[in-house]
Amino acid sequence: MKNITTIILAAGESNRILSKRSKIFHDISDRSLIDHVYSLAEKISSKDIVVVCNKKNYLFLNKKFKGAKIVIQKKINGTAEAVISADKNISKKNDVLILYGDVPLVKQSSIKRLIKNFYFSKKIGSLLVFNSENPLGYGRVEIENNCIKKITEEIQADRETKKISICNSGIMICNSKFLFDNINKISNNNLKKEKYLTDLFEIAYKRRNAFGYSFCSEKELLGVNNREDLIKVDLTMQEEIKKRLINKGVTILQPDTVRVSYDTKIGRDSIIEPFVVIKKGVTISKNVTIKSHSVIEGCFVGEDSSVGPSARIRPNSKISKNVKIGNYVEIKNSFIGESSSISHLSYIGDSFIGKKVNIGAGTITCNYDGKKKNKTIIKDNVFVGSNTSLIAPLTIGKNSNIGAGSVITKNVPPNTLAIERSKQNNLLIKPKK
Amino acid sequence: MKNITTIILAAGESNRILSKRSKIFHDISDRSLIDHVYSLAEKISSKDIVVVCNKKNYLFLNKKFKGAKIVIQKKINGTAEAVISADKNISKKNDVLILYGDVPLVKQSSIKRLIKNFYFSKKIGSLLVFNSENPLGYGRVEIENNCIKKITEEIQADRETKKISICNSGIMICNSKFLFDNINKISNNNLKKEKYLTDLFEIAYKRRNAFGYSFCSEKELLGVNNREDLIKVDLTMQEEIKKRLINKGVTILQPDTVRVSYDTKIGRDSIIEPFVVIKKGVTISKNVTIKSHSVIEGCFVGEDSSVGPSARIRPNSKISKNVKIGNYVEIKNSFIGESSSISHLSYIGDSFIGKKVNIGAGTITCNYDGKKKNKTIIKDNVFVGSNTSLIAPLTIGKNSNIGAGSVITKNVPPNTLAIERSKQNNLLIKPKK
Amino acid sequence: MKNITTIILAAGESNRILSKRSKIFHDISDRSLIDHVYSLAEKISSKDIVVVCNKKNYLFLNKKFKGAKIVIQKKINGTAEAVISADKNISKKNDVLILYGDVPLVKQSSIKRLIKNFYFSKKIGSLLVFNSENPLGYGRVEIENNCIKKITEEIQADRETKKISICNSGIMICNSKFLFDNINKISNNNLKKEKYLTDLFEIAYKRRNAFGYSFCSEKELLGVNNREDLIKVDLTMQEEIKKRLINKGVTILQPDTVRVSYDTKIGRDSIIEPFVVIKKGVTISKNVTIKSHSVIEGCFVGEDSSVGPSARIRPNSKISKNVKIGNYVEIKNSFIGESSSISHLSYIGDSFIGKKVNIGAGTITCNYDGKKKNKTIIKDNVFVGSNTSLIAPLTIGKNSNIGAGSVITKNVPPNTLAIERSKQNNLLIKPKK
């Protein structure tokens, strides 16, 4: 079995996205289109990837995908020209898989089926196709004896051809030598004066060396041309991810009102309430409840813990088992020990909190002094009274108590009550009328 | 008219829910499946209920439903066997209604229609059936002269039978003596080697003592086998509840983005904004606005009050008329008097707040001293300055003021300004560069 | 070209809305039905508008729409009678456009097409019609030679007429003299004993002076009779607004979970995360991110700024460029200067904040002293420590620092460290068991 080089075509000008940035840099489910496609390419080709881009994105992509070869498509006139730009970077001993930087939903399993079809059928290549109930706009695939006879673009299709429901995804695998030997034969003798890669199939068929094909669902092949597409593709991925989690034993209530991330992991019997946002890098253990209006990112949440409603956990945080994070609480870059509780209106940043610690309402770790971030360490069994300011760097020893409303600036030894407070004065005032 | 004993079949193993707990203990709209069904059974049979469960849940159910009889289904091989397990607990003078622990949406009105049909038709029993556009998987009901001739499971249906769109819900009412006299005649001579209750209908028909039937909607008969079902059933109930509230004069904006509870009550002209979560035990009066991102549970909200956005009201709270609860405010186990205002970033727990009280931003009732919860009492016309800590137990007398930023540890008499504060020091620092 | 007087029919009793207020005063997308329709009327007729209302709303509407003429419909028996009520207020030299107070979605472009059709066809009037797949309940429009022959209400339509899919919207433009010369000929000789304006079309046709017509989409003509309608019309407008924003280059993620306002403006490359609520009077610049669970109203947000998650911006606020407003932060009636940051759990009200100011977590501007609101001014480069109370009126000079946990009551000069704090006491306590 030969190696597979993956070419990612990503040179499109993408004006229709109406953005400063090229469309391939827009996110769906917390990862850019190009990252989704690149990640798939890596699973097939490891580092043997060629990204064909436009001039504007060359330097950025070169830096971003260090292992890959980045090439600029010189003439922006069709997919064939884009593939030609990659020619020099591809070993003619390999096979070539072609993916698209703006088609991010295609599944690894569909590509593996395509590759299998290619190898087992021993054809010169194989194309990923799909059945569409409404094929308007897609290239129609004519099949004959399990081979692709021809692909006709909508614009050039006659009435009979328009009835075909099998459509071209553009994604294909092909013998590399055949590809580059024949791609130059593709002409731009068509309405748009572009060189279409799709002409290759007829060339192959006429040389009695036709392509095979493999099916996948239309949904996986949604492409992004404008913002509406971007939002639709994002929504489609969201549905996929949530369905997968639900089928593993997670209760996601009113799932259309929950947001997850491409890499979200959630354990069995956990409950995700409506209006929760899970951003990237989150692992949630078993039997956890994430309550409504919470936003969590880049963190681990341990078994039997509950978060929210309206809590925010920011990156680099670890919430241990049986912890309670309550409403209007923000946790940032912190460790929270087992069975601790931070239930109301608090900010805990750059902190280490031990076990069985109770943090009162309105507690704030003053971690930033205007220049740098400092660490707060709160040891096991500490009770921090409400409305307390903890000026970092600060360590509070085991079993200590902090009086409510205190500003704590100096370390507190173990078994100590620390308090900062003046005398309360009660002055008679004139009764209100 | 005889009495009706209700049997709830709830012995299923429910592995497909992928959970530590049996599926009947999972919630939809804040109440477990079994509680929904039990509550319906109570409306028909008061305490004359038999729950057939599996060994694992026996003790728990016995404790939970004290009035009912809980029996264990010994052989888990079909619905007939399940009913047989209840035999000894049922008076043969009664009629028997059979419900299912995993079919929670069926309405009382549908059951009442079924019972009426049974009594008026003077048949031996009556079955709840439904018309399905896509009956695949359901038992098909053959009707002849207003009687049920036979029910055929999908797996054993021939082509002609599969065309029948009338389906078996399983829910039925039946003469008790007939039921237990004939149920033993059901054999397990079928593909799954189980004893199906549905065989009873043919037995009755052949004895010229056939069952009648009554229709209800397919939606009411959705059952729960896996998490996807659970979520779908929850969603269906959510839609029902919201539609009912809307038709009583409540404005629920973008209703798919609001969550309500099975027992939510809301008065006319109240507005529920998007992303609101109403948990169980909530009664909202007339002309109330619950603003976006609020979560309220176990409380009463009086006329003309507004809550939120992003407020949380926890159980055992009463919000009086014309109160304003603002953003990032948590109220727990408290009474808030008429025309009072708690507008920003506060925690009020275990408190009694009088009329026309103004609680400043960042006020916290320090109700927990690490051992027990203490009470805060704030009398009429009090003004609490911002960022104040009120150390409970504490009473603040009528017309008093609390200076902003104070920690109040001692009771404040009426007509008093209480303040706890040090001197402000202004020290020259080197200008920043 | 003659002038156009617009008559808005808004006298309906609207009992089905189940509300204290008439249906025309209920909001969709943050503006009342009558305001939506009046705003459209103004674009056509400037101040030459007649609103036909019922007695109950006369005074209120008279005050609300000062430029317009408000007339009471004396007999509530049909649309013809309603138009007759406006007779005396309309110059017979003008043309008359008829709109409905409970049909708020019709677009200006549709009305302009109607007017064009009227002028170019030189007919006596023109009616806005729509094609409906399910015309049940609508008046059917019989067309002959590009003219309206007759309109038949559902209730009086024969089988053949019911097959017509062209329906009457009621919205029309008409020669004023013709209208008022003929409207009295309309009889109430029908099932409901009401005078229907729709009879006018047959009268005109029989006098060989028939009406023309112009199409618009059914969706624009949704009317509001009950709460379900209100919510549906609101939802339809929400979808329209979001689609328009998306097509201008805004990313609205999971758009069904976002709420916008009828007048929302958002610049290119801005991202609106799920569960955001944008109320009226909001202008968002380019490349802004509004994070989940934020609620913003009546404010401007400058380029490259980010708001939320869970932030609230209230009216009369201006957020400059490159500002960060973080979680559980409320901004009210304030100016926030460039590159400033208010990241956590703060309340900033009636304040002016300069450039590059850092406001620590838990900072509260104590703007209300129980009687009036006072102003806080914080100049450039100030650093406010966490959990600080700023008692307004207050000015903090450039480059100054405020110590965490302080209550600041007196102005702070530039380049000053202001601090209010007692001594911290550490007392040994008995170790917890």
Side-chain angles (χ1 to χ4, degrees):
Chain A
M1 207 165 94
K2 291 181 286 184
N3 289 323
I4 299 174
T5 305
T6 299
I7 304 179
I8 299 175
L9 304 188
E13 289 292 348
S14 56
N15 298 320
R16 288 167 59 202
I17 199 84
L18 300 178
S19 174
K20 262 189 161 175
R21 296 171 299 147
S22 291
K23 64 183 175 183
I24 57 168
F25 299 124
H26 284 253
D27 281 0
I28 59 166
S29 299
D30 288 337
R31 187 158 70 162
S32 72
L33 296 183
I34 190 69
D35 277 318
H36 281 288
V37 178
Y38 193 83
S39 157
L40 173 59
E42 279 189 312
K43 283 169 191 155
I44 306 299
S45 301
S46 186
K47 294 289 177 196
D48 192 5
I49 299 171
V50 183
V51 181
V52 180
C53 69
N54 59 35
K55 230 184 283 178
K56 192 170 95 178
N57 297 328
Y58 178 76
L59 284 174
F60 182 81
L61 287 171
N62 223 356
K63 206 169 148 186
K64 181 177 181 66
F65 299 128
K66 288 211 187 330
K69 284 154 202 150
I70 313 298
V71 301
I72 295 173
Q73 177 176 353
K74 277 151 203 162
K75 303 184 203 159
I76 303 290
N77 61 342
T79 44
E81 203 65 64
V83 173
I84 290 168
S85 311
D87 187 350
K88 281 182 292 186
N89 291 284
I90 291 167
S91 157
K92 298 310 169 292
K93 290 177 192 155
N94 278 8
D95 294 315
V96 169
L97 172 70
I98 298 176
L99 299 177
Y100 295 82
D102 56 2
V103 181
L105 297 180
V106 64
K107 288 182 184 159
Q108 196 186 349
S109 58
S110 299
I111 298 299
K112 290 216 158 151
R113 253 186 292 114
L114 175 73
I115 295 172
K116 255 192 193 161
N117 172 277
F118 172 56
Y119 286 152
F120 286 135
S121 70
K122 297 186 177 163
K123 295 212 167 68
I124 197 66
S126 187
L127 175 70
L128 202 62
V129 300
F130 60 102
N131 256 308
S132 178
E133 281 192 22
N134 177 18
L136 185 77
Y138 293 119
R140 305 304 202 290
V141 181
E142 279 177 68
I143 306 277
E144 203 176 72
N145 297 325
N146 274 320
C147 289
I148 295 179
K149 191 176 170 187
K150 191 183 176 182
I151 294 180
T152 311
E153 296 300 328
E154 173 81 26
I155 201 170
Q156 295 181 313
D158 57 24
R159 187 178 283 198
E160 217 41 44
T161 308
K162 280 184 181 166
K163 285 184 191 160
I164 296 172
S165 68
I166 303 179
C167 301
N168 170 30
S169 78
I171 293 172
M172 66 168 85
I173 185 163
C174 182
N175 174 286
S176 170
K177 192 167 178 321
F178 176 87
L179 177 66
F180 289 104
D181 284 356
N182 288 280
I183 200 165
N184 284 303
K185 294 174 189 160
I186 293 173
S187 88
N188 67 351
N189 186 11
N190 55 43
L191 294 172
K192 287 205 177 170
K193 298 288 168 216
E194 295 198 347
K195 292 188 184 180
Y196 296 124
L197 197 51
T198 44
D199 287 1
L200 195 68
F201 299 97
E202 199 180 3
I203 292 171
Y205 179 80
K206 285 183 174 165
R207 292 190 50 184
R208 295 169 188 259
N209 207 354
F211 276 66
Y213 55 91
S214 171
F215 277 94
C216 89
S217 78
E218 185 171 358
K219 244 198 311 199
E220 290 179 48
L221 299 168
L222 286 170
V224 174
N225 287 310
N226 55 37
R227 294 265 174 181
E228 273 197 270
D229 294 342
L230 185 78
I231 288 161
K232 189 180 172 187
V233 164
D234 175 78
L235 215 50
T236 305
M237 181 169 268
Q238 285 289 319
E239 281 168 11
E240 287 280 332
I241 300 166
K242 286 180 262 188
K243 198 175 170 181
R244 196 190 66 212
L245 291 166
I246 288 166
N247 285 327
K248 285 188 170 169
V250 178
T251 294
I252 301 183
L253 291 167
Q254 297 180 231
D256 288 347
T257 67
V258 166
R259 187 158 180 86
V260 291
S261 198
Y262 73 97
D263 62 351
T264 299
K265 290 179 196 65
I266 308 180
R268 195 174 273 197
D269 269 337
S270 285
I271 297 175
I272 310 298
E273 292 190 350
F275 323 124
V276 162
V277 176
I278 299 176
K279 301 215 166 196
K280 72 179 162 192
V282 169
T283 298
I284 293 169
S285 203
K286 287 184 208 169
N287 200 34
V288 168
T289 303
I290 308 291
K291 297 185 184 177
S292 295
H293 312 118
S294 297
V295 178
I296 63 180
E297 181 177 2
C299 66
F300 173 86
V301 181
E303 261 179 78
D304 304 322
S305 289
S306 85
V307 173
S310 292
R312 185 184 186 196
I313 303 178
R314 290 168 58 195
N316 299 315
S317 294
K318 183 175 169 182
I319 311 299
S320 305
K321 280 187 203 182
N322 199 29
V323 167
K324 190 186 160 200
I325 306 290
N327 39 223
Y328 321 124
V329 171
E330 175 187 0
I331 308 286
K332 191 211 86 175
N333 186 33
S334 293
F335 174 93
I336 313 296
E338 252 183 79
S339 303
S340 287
S341 177
I342 308 168
S343 296
H344 340 251
L345 290 154
S346 293
Y347 169 59
I348 303 297
D350 307 314
S351 299
F352 176 95
I353 311 275
K355 295 178 191 174
K356 296 188 185 171
V357 170
N358 189 301
I359 303 277
T363 297
I364 289 177
T365 56
C366 310
N367 57 327
Y368 183 52
D369 56 14
K371 285 162 204 148
K372 66 179 199 304
K373 307 276 170 141
N374 301 295
K375 212 162 163 63
T376 301
I377 296 169
I378 300 176
K379 302 219 166 151
D380 296 353
N381 293 314
V382 165
F383 181 90
V384 177
S386 298
N387 240 347
T388 296
S389 309
L390 306 172
I391 315 283
L394 183 74
T395 298
I396 301 175
K398 272 193 183 186
N399 305 324
S400 286
N401 280 10
I402 308 295
S406 299
V407 179
I408 300 299
T409 51
K410 292 176 290 185
N411 288 344
V412 178
N415 303 311
T416 299
L417 167 64
I419 194 160
E420 176 270 346
R421 199 180 284 166
S422 309
K423 210 176 138 285
Q424 175 181 334
N425 288 302
N426 288 347
L427 316 162
L428 194 67
I429 51 177
K430 281 186 205 162
K432 286 181 189 172
K433 288 156 200 170
Chain B
M1 208 165 92
K2 290 182 286 183
N3 289 323
I4 299 173
T5 305
T6 299
I7 305 179
I8 299 175
L9 304 188
E13 288 293 348
S14 58
N15 298 319
R16 289 167 59 202
I17 200 85
L18 300 178
S19 174
K20 264 189 161 176
R21 296 170 300 146
S22 291
K23 64 182 175 182
I24 55 167
F25 299 125
H26 284 253
D27 282 359
I28 58 165
S29 300
D30 289 336
R31 187 158 70 160
S32 73
L33 297 183
I34 191 69
D35 277 318
H36 281 288
V37 178
Y38 192 85
S39 156
L40 173 59
E42 278 190 313
K43 283 170 192 154
I44 307 298
S45 300
S46 185
K47 295 287 176 195
D48 192 3
I49 301 172
V50 183
V51 181
V52 181
C53 68
N54 58 35
K55 231 184 284 179
K56 192 171 98 179
N57 296 328
Y58 178 77
L59 284 174
F60 182 81
L61 288 171
N62 223 354
K63 206 169 147 187
K64 181 177 180 69
F65 299 127
K66 287 208 189 330
K69 285 154 203 150
I70 314 296
V71 301
I72 295 175
Q73 178 175 354
K74 276 149 206 165
K75 304 186 203 160
I76 303 291
N77 62 341
T79 42
E81 204 63 66
V83 172
I84 290 168
S85 310
D87 188 349
K88 280 182 293 186
N89 292 284
I90 290 166
S91 158
K92 297 312 170 289
K93 290 177 192 154
N94 278 9
D95 296 313
V96 169
L97 171 71
I98 299 176
L99 299 177
Y100 296 82
D102 56 1
V103 180
L105 297 181
V106 63
K107 288 181 183 158
Q108 194 186 349
S109 58
S110 300
I111 298 298
K112 291 216 158 151
R113 251 185 293 114
L114 175 73
I115 295 173
K116 255 191 193 161
N117 173 276
F118 171 58
Y119 286 151
F120 287 134
S121 70
K122 298 186 178 163
K123 295 212 168 65
I124 196 66
S126 187
L127 175 69
L128 202 61
V129 299
F130 60 101
N131 257 308
S132 178
E133 282 191 21
N134 177 20
L136 186 77
Y138 294 119
R140 304 305 203 287
V141 181
E142 279 178 67
I143 306 278
E144 203 176 74
N145 296 327
N146 273 320
C147 290
I148 296 178
K149 190 176 171 187
K150 191 183 176 181
I151 294 180
T152 311
E153 296 301 327
E154 171 83 24
I155 201 171
Q156 296 182 312
D158 58 22
R159 187 177 285 197
E160 216 42 43
T161 309
K162 281 185 179 163
K163 284 184 190 159
I164 296 172
S165 68
I166 302 180
C167 301
N168 172 30
S169 78
I171 293 172
M172 66 169 85
I173 184 163
C174 183
N175 175 286
S176 170
K177 194 168 176 321
F178 176 87
L179 176 67
F180 290 103
D181 283 356
N182 288 281
I183 200 164
N184 285 303
K185 296 174 187 161
I186 293 173
S187 87
N188 67 350
N189 185 12
N190 55 43
L191 295 171
K192 287 203 178 171
K193 298 291 167 213
E194 295 198 347
K195 292 188 184 178
Y196 297 124
L197 198 51
T198 45
D199 288 1
L200 195 67
F201 300 98
E202 200 180 0
I203 292 170
Y205 179 81
K206 285 183 175 165
R207 292 189 49 182
R208 294 170 188 260
N209 209 352
F211 277 66
Y213 55 90
S214 170
F215 278 93
C216 89
S217 79
E218 186 171 357
K219 243 198 311 199
E220 289 179 49
L221 298 168
L222 287 169
V224 173
N225 287 309
N226 55 36
R227 294 265 174 181
E228 273 197 270
D229 295 340
L230 185 77
I231 287 160
K232 189 179 172 188
V233 165
D234 175 78
L235 216 50
T236 305
M237 181 170 269
Q238 285 290 317
E239 281 167 11
E240 287 281 332
I241 301 166
K242 285 180 263 187
K243 198 174 170 182
R244 195 190 65 211
L245 292 167
I246 288 166
N247 285 326
K248 285 188 171 170
V250 178
T251 295
I252 301 183
L253 291 167
Q254 297 180 233
D256 289 347
T257 67
V258 165
R259 187 157 180 85
V260 290
S261 199
Y262 72 98
D263 63 350
T264 300
K265 290 178 197 65
I266 309 181
R268 194 173 273 197
D269 270 337
S270 285
I271 297 174
I272 311 298
E273 292 190 350
F275 323 125
V276 161
V277 176
I278 299 175
K279 301 216 167 196
K280 72 180 163 193
V282 169
T283 298
I284 293 169
S285 203
K286 288 184 207 171
N287 200 34
V288 168
T289 304
I290 308 292
K291 297 187 183 175
S292 294
H293 313 118
S294 296
V295 178
I296 64 180
E297 182 176 2
C299 65
F300 172 86
V301 181
E303 263 181 76
D304 304 323
S305 290
S306 86
V307 173
S310 291
R312 185 183 187 197
I313 302 177
R314 291 168 58 195
N316 299 316
S317 295
K318 181 176 170 181
I319 311 298
S320 305
K321 281 188 202 182
N322 198 30
V323 166
K324 190 186 161 200
I325 307 291
N327 39 223
Y328 321 126
V329 170
E330 176 187 357
I331 307 286
K332 193 210 84 175
N333 185 33
S334 294
F335 174 93
I336 314 295
E338 252 185 78
S339 303
S340 287
S341 177
I342 309 167
S343 297
H344 340 250
L345 289 153
S346 293
Y347 169 60
I348 301 299
D350 306 315
S351 300
F352 176 94
I353 310 275
K355 296 179 191 174
K356 296 189 185 172
V357 170
N358 189 301
I359 304 278
T363 296
I364 289 178
T365 56
C366 309
N367 57 326
Y368 184 52
D369 57 15
K371 284 162 207 148
K372 65 178 200 305
K373 307 276 170 141
N374 302 297
K375 211 162 163 63
T376 301
I377 296 168
I378 300 178
K379 301 217 164 153
D380 296 353
N381 292 313
V382 165
F383 181 89
V384 177
S386 299
N387 241 345
T388 296
S389 309
L390 305 172
I391 315 283
L394 184 74
T395 298
I396 300 176
K398 272 193 184 186
N399 304 323
S400 286
N401 280 10
I402 309 295
S406 298
V407 179
I408 300 299
T409 52
K410 292 176 289 186
N411 288 345
V412 178
N415 302 311
T416 300
L417 166 65
I419 194 159
E420 177 270 346
R421 199 180 286 166
S422 309
K423 211 178 137 282
Q424 175 182 334
N425 288 302
N426 288 347
L427 315 162
L428 195 67
I429 52 176
K430 281 186 204 161
K432 287 181 189 172
K433 288 156 199 171
Chain C
M1 208 166 94
K2 291 182 287 182
N3 288 323
I4 299 174
T5 303
T6 298
I7 304 178
I8 299 175
L9 304 188
E13 288 293 347
S14 57
N15 297 319
R16 290 166 60 202
I17 200 84
L18 301 177
S19 175
K20 263 189 161 175
R21 295 171 299 146
S22 291
K23 63 182 176 183
I24 56 168
F25 299 125
H26 284 255
D27 281 359
I28 59 165
S29 299
D30 289 337
R31 187 159 68 162
S32 73
L33 296 182
I34 191 68
D35 277 317
H36 281 288
V37 178
Y38 192 84
S39 156
L40 173 60
E42 279 189 312
K43 283 170 192 155
I44 306 299
S45 301
S46 185
K47 295 288 178 196
D48 191 5
I49 300 172
V50 182
V51 181
V52 180
C53 69
N54 57 35
K55 232 184 283 178
K56 191 170 97 179
N57 297 327
Y58 177 77
L59 284 175
F60 181 81
L61 287 172
N62 222 355
K63 206 169 149 187
K64 181 177 180 66
F65 299 127
K66 289 210 187 335
K69 284 154 203 148
I70 313 297
V71 300
I72 295 175
Q73 178 176 354
K74 277 150 204 165
K75 304 184 202 163
I76 303 291
N77 62 342
T79 42
E81 204 63 65
V83 172
I84 289 168
S85 312
D87 187 349
K88 279 182 293 187
N89 292 284
I90 291 166
S91 157
K92 297 312 171 289
K93 289 177 192 156
N94 277 10
D95 296 314
V96 169
L97 171 71
I98 298 175
L99 299 178
Y100 296 82
D102 56 2
V103 181
L105 296 180
V106 63
K107 288 182 185 159
Q108 195 186 350
S109 58
S110 299
I111 298 299
K112 290 217 160 150
R113 251 185 294 114
L114 175 72
I115 295 173
K116 254 190 195 162
N117 172 278
F118 171 57
Y119 287 150
F120 286 134
S121 71
K122 297 185 177 163
K123 295 213 168 65
I124 197 68
S126 187
L127 176 69
L128 202 61
V129 300
F130 61 101
N131 257 306
S132 177
E133 282 192 20
N134 178 19
L136 187 77
Y138 293 120
R140 305 303 203 287
V141 181
E142 279 178 69
I143 305 277
E144 203 176 74
N145 296 328
N146 273 321
C147 290
I148 296 179
K149 191 175 168 188
K150 191 183 176 182
I151 294 180
T152 312
E153 296 302 326
E154 172 81 25
I155 201 170
Q156 296 181 313
D158 57 23
R159 187 178 283 198
E160 217 42 44
T161 309
K162 280 184 180 165
K163 285 185 190 159
I164 295 173
S165 67
I166 303 180
C167 301
N168 172 30
S169 76
I171 293 172
M172 66 167 85
I173 184 163
C174 182
N175 174 286
S176 171
K177 193 168 177 320
F178 176 86
L179 177 66
F180 289 102
D181 283 355
N182 288 280
I183 201 164
N184 285 304
K185 295 173 188 161
I186 294 173
S187 88
N188 67 349
N189 185 13
N190 54 44
L191 294 171
K192 288 204 178 172
K193 298 289 167 212
E194 295 198 346
K195 293 189 182 177
Y196 297 123
L197 198 52
T198 43
D199 287 1
L200 195 69
F201 300 97
E202 198 179 1
I203 292 171
Y205 179 80
K206 286 182 173 165
R207 294 188 48 183
R208 297 170 186 256
N209 209 351
F211 276 66
Y213 55 91
S214 171
F215 277 93
C216 90
S217 78
E218 186 171 358
K219 241 196 316 197
E220 290 179 50
L221 299 169
L222 286 169
V224 174
N225 287 309
N226 55 37
R227 293 266 173 179
E228 274 198 89
D229 295 341
L230 185 77
I231 287 161
K232 188 179 173 189
V233 164
D234 176 78
L235 216 51
T236 305
M237 181 170 267
Q238 284 289 318
E239 280 167 13
E240 287 280 331
I241 301 167
K242 287 181 260 188
K243 199 175 170 182
R244 194 190 67 210
L245 291 166
I246 288 166
N247 285 326
K248 285 188 170 170
V250 178
T251 294
I252 301 182
L253 291 167
Q254 298 179 232
D256 288 348
T257 67
V258 165
R259 187 159 180 86
V260 290
S261 198
Y262 72 96
D263 63 350
T264 300
K265 291 179 195 66
I266 309 181
R268 195 173 272 199
D269 270 338
S270 285
I271 297 175
I272 310 299
E273 292 190 351
F275 323 125
V276 162
V277 175
I278 299 176
K279 300 214 165 197
K280 71 180 163 190
V282 169
T283 299
I284 294 169
S285 202
K286 288 184 206 170
N287 200 34
V288 168
T289 303
I290 308 291
K291 297 186 184 177
S292 295
H293 313 119
S294 296
V295 178
I296 63 179
E297 182 176 2
C299 65
F300 172 87
V301 182
E303 263 180 77
D304 305 323
S305 289
S306 85
V307 173
S310 291
R312 184 184 186 195
I313 302 178
R314 290 168 58 195
N316 298 316
S317 295
K318 183 177 169 182
I319 312 298
S320 306
K321 281 187 202 181
N322 198 30
V323 166
K324 190 185 160 202
I325 306 292
N327 39 222
Y328 321 125
V329 171
E330 175 187 358
I331 307 286
K332 192 210 86 175
N333 185 32
S334 294
F335 175 93
I336 314 296
E338 252 183 80
S339 303
S340 286
S341 178
I342 308 166
S343 296
H344 341 250
L345 289 153
S346 293
Y347 169 59
I348 302 298
D350 306 314
S351 300
F352 176 95
I353 311 276
K355 295 178 189 173
K356 296 188 184 172
V357 169
N358 190 300
I359 303 278
T363 296
I364 289 177
T365 56
C366 310
N367 57 326
Y368 183 53
D369 55 14
K371 285 164 208 148
K372 65 179 200 303
K373 307 276 170 141
N374 301 295
K375 213 163 163 62
T376 302
I377 297 167
I378 300 177
K379 301 218 166 152
D380 297 352
N381 293 312
V382 164
F383 181 88
V384 177
S386 298
N387 240 346
T388 296
S389 308
L390 305 171
I391 316 283
L394 185 72
T395 298
I396 300 176
K398 271 192 183 187
N399 305 323
S400 286
N401 280 11
I402 308 295
S406 299
V407 178
I408 299 300
T409 51
K410 291 176 292 185
N411 288 344
V412 178
N415 303 310
T416 299
L417 168 63
I419 194 158
E420 176 269 346
R421 199 180 285 167
S422 308
K423 212 176 137 284
Q424 175 181 335
N425 288 302
N426 289 348
L427 315 162
L428 195 66
I429 52 176
K430 280 185 207 163
K432 286 180 190 174
K433 287 157 202 171

